[in-house]
Amino acid sequence: MKWIISSAAVLMTSATFAFAGEQYIDETGFAVSGYDVVAYWDMDQNPVGTAQPAAVPGKADITAEYNGATFAFSSEENRDTFVADPAKYVPAYDGHCAYGVSKGGKVPANPNLWRIVDGTLYLNITKDVVGFWEEDIPGNITLAENNWTGIEGKDASTNTIPQFSSSAPVK
């Protein structure tokens, strides 16, 4: 009986780790390139087809850990908000490009190419990709959700975000 309980506990723990994906981390060493994930919710979104406001840089000394990654925040208030409910604020697909996931892969995402849809933060890799993403946001989310179940447990992308250099987190 003890063996069965121990085996069940190991299987449950293994299943949890098998389905948890790794957060995308770029050369900054921070999730979302060191930008504040809570700050997105305070910005006005621009209409589809136009650029979003730039992401808000976090500070290197205001951080929190989640999903094996360090997130930086622009204020202690934002950090505390994040800590209270991190799943609400982290970008979809462990910070990988939403359109890339809709196509079946894990590629990096640019924190300045964002959109919040139905309470979820989505990031994309390049301005051109944003155009493809925005042609059918609901359809691309459906494709990404279907693909994510098969790729979530795979290693995070180790690629550099093209045409992007992070100025965050600030010291």
Side-chain angles (χ1 to χ4, degrees), residues 21-106:
E22 295 176 2
Q23 191 70 37
Y24 173 72
I25 306 294
D26 69 359
E27 296 81 1
T28 65
F30 288 84
V32 194
S33 302
Y35 288 83
D36 184 337
V37 293
V38 174
Y40 289 105
W41 271 260
D42 294 330
M43 292 189 272
D44 292 329
Q45 289 194 87
N46 289 329
V48 169
T50 59
Q52 297 289 36
V56 176
K59 296 179 180 173
D61 60 346
I62 305 176
T63 64
E65 301 293 318
Y66 181 74
N67 191 25
T70 303
F71 288 79
F73 302 91
S74 58
S75 70
E76 290 180 8
E77 179 183 356
N78 280 9
R79 181 202 48 216
D80 296 346
T81 298
F82 176 83
V83 168
D85 189 5
K88 177 179 178 178
Y89 297 99
V90 294
Y93 317 122
D94 299 327
H96 291 89
C97 172
Y99 188 74
V101 173
S102 78
K103 295 300 181 189
K106 283 186 173 182

